[in-house]
Amino acid sequence: MIARRTLTVFSLLFALFAGQTLQQAAAVEVETSGDIQYYTLTNQQGLKVKLTNFGAIIMSIMVPDRNGKLGDVALGYDNMASYLNAVDKPYFGAIVGRYGNRIAKGKFVIAGSEYSLAINNPPNSLHGGVIGFDKVVWTGKVADEGEAVVLSYLSKDGEEGYPGNLNCQVTYTLTDDNEIVVDYLATTDKATPINLTQHTYFNLKGEGNGNILGHQLMLNANRYTPVNETLIPTGKTPEVQGTPFDFTKPKAIGKDINKENEQLTFGGGYDHNWVLDKGGKTGELTLAAKVYEPTTGRQLEISTTEPGIQFYCGNFLDGRLKGKSGKPYVHRGGFCLETQHFPDSPNQPSFPSTILQPEDEYVSQTVFKFSAK
């Protein structure tokens, strides 16, 4: 477990102007419109991150390429209406919960009591239900030190069928080492499953600039969790060696994606959880993945305290959605690397537990580090 970071936050004082406000606090720009806030974090290297308290969404990440040219590498929209009205609700940039990923048939049992969730991804429950954490307004504050924003949300007992009042806090920090640090903290008054994750889609060529099949991916994982035809894990954790799921050495995402393989058929490509090689360091921050894009030189490294990572390569993108550049998001036009506990863990006794008890704290950290070479 990572020691809990204490962040002192203060209230923002806004001056009303044309229905919106804008000010600088702790070097974080804050704009508000009604209940929605937008935060822009900028570091000394020029990397810039924009996020909002709606869904705790990362809206854009401006990252330099090898020539120093900034480009937005996060898929998403430039207005709130598009997030609210998008077809298929792809979870661009959001925090998903109370349980990221799938729970089989929307059911689980805790201490002899069965709980039922919405079946929003038939025949299963996905990413917290119909109105998950990605579709609610969080309470936002700016930290008084560094480039950091603290977002809080109370998920009430019975919300989307989950037991317990769950107090959640997500802190986004931008460092001068070009890292986006995501710290998660939660407590509950009743035993409940929890599995929070960050659902940004990346394209290191720049959002809207074609597919991501040429990106070179390394996953620090010798095993993965195969699924059935409804994308629920079988409970087994076979080795990836000799399969299209072997990313232990850097490999183009598209190299093996069209091979005949039952798992690739079930997922429509890669949409699976990998079991991270933690080297016995359970709960400690360790490297999970590296992605390199040859044409721009941009590189993304992901480290996490979590035991797994879901690699999804935009199989359901089909060109209907248009992003900030006005360009369509084509098939496999972005990838997600969602650090997490394993899917369906409440129904899989062999998987690490995701049940949070009232006497415990849920503490997790993921770091996204950008560079260019």
Side-chain angles (χ1 to χ4, degrees):
M1 300 286 285
I2 293 181
R4 175 179 176 177
R5 286 197 329 164
T6 302
L7 293 174
T8 304
V9 298
F10 61 89
S11 299
L12 298 177
L13 302 177
F14 294 109
L16 184 63
F17 179 75
Q20 293 189 344
T21 58
L22 181 67
Q23 80 169 43
Q24 185 83 7
V28 178
E29 292 181 352
V30 184
E31 185 179 3
T32 185
S33 179
D35 291 334
I36 307 301
Q37 282 94 42
Y38 303 92
Y39 302 88
T40 302
L41 294 72
T42 307
N43 71 6
Q44 293 182 1
Q45 315 304 323
L47 192 147
K48 184 176 292 188
V49 179
K50 183 175 182 179
L51 57 98
T52 176
N53 65 325
F54 178 77
I57 291 170
I58 292 178
M59 301 180 71
S60 68
I61 307 173
M62 300 296 293
V63 179
D65 63 11
R66 64 164 61 94
N67 298 314
K69 181 181 178 181
L70 287 174
D72 190 350
V73 300
L75 276 61
Y77 309 109
D78 58 5
N79 63 85
M80 186 53 59
S82 293
Y83 284 99
L84 295 172
N85 301 322
V87 295
D88 296 337
K89 305 297 184 189
Y91 304 94
F92 285 149
I95 293 292
V96 293
R98 183 176 301 196
Y99 197 95
N101 221 302
R102 292 172 177 84
I103 293 181
K105 300 179 181 178
K107 295 184 182 296
F108 59 88
V109 176
I110 298 178
S113 297
E114 183 176 84
Y115 297 91
S116 296
L117 312 174
I119 306 300
N120 62 324
N121 185 240
N124 306 310
S125 183
L126 174 68
H127 288 336
V130 177
I131 303 179
F133 290 4
D134 61 296
K135 300 179 184 71
V136 299
V137 177
W138 296 59
T139 299
K141 298 287 185 181
V142 178
D144 63 351
E145 295 181 0
E147 295 280 315
V149 174
V150 184
L151 300 169
S152 303
Y153 178 67
L154 170 61
S155 176
K156 293 183 179 180
D157 186 20
E159 183 174 294
E160 288 293 330
Y162 287 93
N165 292 295
L166 185 73
N167 279 287
C168 301
Q169 179 178 289
V170 174
T171 301
Y172 288 113
T173 303
L174 178 61
T175 76
D176 286 329
D177 291 327
N178 286 354
E179 298 170 326
I180 302 172
V181 182
V182 188
D183 285 303
Y184 304 87
L185 175 66
T187 59
T188 184
D189 59 6
K190 189 184 296 184
T192 187
I194 181 171
N195 189 30
L196 305 182
T197 190
Q198 221 296 325
H199 206 286
T200 292
Y201 290 66
F202 298 97
N203 186 329
L204 299 183
K205 292 188 292 187
E207 61 90 25
N209 287 338
N211 66 50
I212 45 79
L213 297 179
H215 287 55
Q216 303 284 323
L217 171 65
M218 186 282 294
L219 294 173
N220 186 24
N222 283 292
R223 295 179 179 274
Y224 78 117
T225 55
V227 295
N228 63 23
E229 62 276 8
T230 73
L231 302 183
I232 294 296
T234 63
K236 299 177 181 179
T237 57
E239 293 187 355
V240 298
Q241 186 176 5
T243 77
F245 294 83
D246 188 352
F247 286 94
T248 52
K249 295 180 180 179
K251 179 178 71 174
I253 290 173
K255 183 176 185 298
D256 296 326
I257 201 168
N258 293 318
K259 287 190 173 180
E260 288 191 16
N261 179 278
E262 183 180 63
Q263 287 298 306
L264 290 175
T265 299
F266 286 164
Y270 296 110
D271 190 6
H272 295 74
N273 172 74
W274 272 253
V275 180
L276 294 173
D277 295 337
K278 304 294 287 186
K281 298 179 180 179
T282 303
E284 293 189 20
L285 190 68
T286 55
L287 180 67
K290 287 185 180 181
V291 191
Y292 173 68
E293 203 292 299
T295 63
T296 65
R298 292 190 183 103
Q299 180 169 273
L300 170 62
E301 297 178 59
I302 301 175
S303 300
T304 187
T305 59
E306 290 294 295
I309 191 167
Q310 184 88 6
F311 169 45
Y312 169 61
C313 62
N315 304 315
F316 297 109
L317 297 175
D318 60 7
R320 286 184 294 167
L321 301 177
K322 292 184 179 180
K324 290 158 284 186
S325 62
K327 301 173 185 175
Y329 289 153
V330 300
H331 185 51
R332 295 173 179 153
F335 66 88
C336 300
L337 287 166
E338 307 157 58
T339 57
Q340 61 179 15
H341 271 60
F342 306 164
D344 196 37
S345 290
N347 298 310
Q348 303 273 356
S350 64
F351 288 175
S353 176
T354 55
I355 305 302
L356 178 65
Q357 300 292 341
E359 62 271 20
D360 296 328
E361 283 187 335
Y362 172 88
V363 182
S364 178
Q365 185 181 73
T366 293
V367 178
F368 300 92
K369 181 178 176 63
F370 297 92
S371 59
K373 63 179 184 178

